[in-house]
Amino acid sequence: MYCHVAYVLCNFEQRMWEETKQPLHTLTVFQHVPPKGSKCVAPSSPQCFRRNNESPDYECEWRMNTTRSDVTFDLHLGKQTFKFKAETHAEFREEQLIKYRPVDIWVEARVEDSTCSSNRTSVVLNETVKFKAPQDILVSWIQNHLKLTWMAAEKHPALVEVWFRKADTLSWEKRQDLTELMPSKNLMYMLVIKHLQKHTAYQVRLRQQTKAALNPLWSDWSPTVIAPAELEHKLDVNMTLEALEGVRKVTLVWKPVQPSAAVSGVAYFLNDTQSSRRCPCKKKQHRMEETEYTYYVSYSPVSFSVVARNAAGYSPQAAIQVPAEVAHDLQPCNKTMDKKVKKSTCREWYELQGEDLRPESVPSFTETTRKKVNRNSIKDYVGYLYFEHLCVQNTPKTVNMCLYYRNENALTQSLLLGLLVPKKAPQELVASNQTRNSVTVSWNAIPVVERRGFLIHYNLCSVIIHSQDKEKQCHLIPASLLKFQLENLRPNATYNISVAGVTAAGEGPKATITISTLLLSFMNGGLKLGLVFATIFILLLIVCMCICKRMKKKICPPVPKPTFLKLAFNQPVNQTWTQEEHEEVEHDVTLQPLSETLAKNANETVMSLHIDIRTTDSMVSEETNGDNLISKALTDSKEEMPNMGEEDLLASLLYRKGLVFDMKTDSG
């Protein structure tokens, strides 16, 4: 019987070990079944343990599915019994328990007259350790790896079982891994879940177990932690600025973060160098959940930074710089600023930049009723922009603004000797946009350290060269301007231009440049315009001539020139006429009229004659002049048409009442 029971227990212990991974001596050896109709529900088997391997205290805990307040419990630890009323948790000092040998533990519950017991387990209390559930778990992203950190239970790494899933899915993914210890003020466990997606939100829960005890128990599950997506980009912040009397209204608006980064909530943190809720010259951080905020700041430079924060960390910082509101008629500071600082008042000194009156973004010195400024620490002959602020109804207001030089007014003797004029001339003097009567002159400011005092203005002078009029024209340029346009200059003239800085001690070295104005505009532009018009006129004239020539040929064809000829035929000797002399008309040709008038006057028909030239003994004698005319006409025609025979040449001549016309001119 004993062997059979032992065999059954061994098989049962083996199955429980595979399912729970608990040591064999913690398994149940006896299960109490309450009778039917009992009002008592059996509690769970108790667990007794230490919270870490170095703790001298022990805890026992169990569960019971009841809401009754009259239930009582008897906790049995070997032969020791401890009574509790409606409690499922107990704590003991080590001297109260048997720690180094196995003991049976179980719980009996009593409800009215009913009794029920839990299963019995056998444990060695000193070897049993159960960590608390991980709490206050911090999440952050390292590229696509999720890092988890929480308070360490002891000075040894722990085994962790972690479940995680995407926020929009139902199935869990499980992993087990050892933690790493993070040295810090409080010892921390760290676990990295690799190969996730940093733009996606995850749900994570985990439990931990010691690796330094013989009988480790899994801790309870941690609360489900939501790991939002990483805030990878800085906020897109837009600023609007409205200047009021001594105050500026600054409104900051930014776009909200992506939904996956705000699943567990997001907060925005704003830092500024001038708090709108406190007196000026103070720094304060504002936390909010809105995406818009309004400040009231003074005229001095203000720096803002805005970041978003979720459970996974901070976004990159978005920095906004509000420059100083500098008055156009800025004057040197007087002695009134040496009075004591009043309550709710602060003073600021901003060292000026080297190129202009733009101050630095961070004050060099700040003075309040609680914080004094050592005036010896202010540099000599270096310009500072001085502000005095007053807190009026929780709103900072600028009441004084001026340029401050520590020793400029004190060294009267040096000023009289002219030792504190600017040391250098304005840098890089150049001319641009030159016309016939104007030019723009620009330069770089004198470095602050070279001014040796407050720069009142620049003195810009121009004088014409190679002219009897040597009158110099000068202009006083404000120190804040580095460009000036000279007007009313002479065309085609050469000028010598100089610029010098002026302080209370006088004028410093000059920077000079020589420029030449352009010719009169009509001599330049008019000549070019005339050439363009002349070219267009010539082209139009050529086109018109071609058109007129073609129209003339069509409307007024050329009139043929008449030639008076008297035909004479020489009959060769010993030749007789083989045919009777006669005129034979072979073709009828109508001469086209030159005009309607000529057509009406033409009363006779012009015909083409074919003349048979035959050899005869006799020759028709005519007047000598007639012969010459015939010969001349034939000769001229042959010269014009050398390839034609004599008969063809004569055939080409037309006549009307003895007038012969050369029609070859019409054929062309």
Side-chain angles (χ1 to χ4, degrees), residues 599-613:
K600 292 179 182 180
N601 295 332
N603 296 321
E604 296 182 18
T605 303
V606 179
M607 296 176 298
S608 173
L609 299 178
H610 174 70
I611 302 175
D612 288 330
I613 302 174

Side-chain angles (χ1 to χ4, degrees), residues 632-646:
K632 186 178 185 299
L634 291 174
T635 303
D636 293 339
S637 299
K638 285 183 178 181
E639 290 178 357
E640 293 178 1
M641 294 169 290
N643 296 326
M644 295 182 62
E646 183 176 340

Side-chain angles (χ1 to χ4, degrees), residues 109 117 131-132 176 221 304 413 421 428 434-435 453 461 532 546 598 606 622 625 631:
S117 298
F131 289 158
K132 290 183 178 181
Q176 281 192 6
W221 285 100
F304 296 100
Q413 185 66 26
V421 297
E428 299 183 12
Q434 295 174 235
T435 65
C461 297
V532 172
C546 294
L598 294 176
V606 179
E622 298 291 341
N625 293 336
S631 300

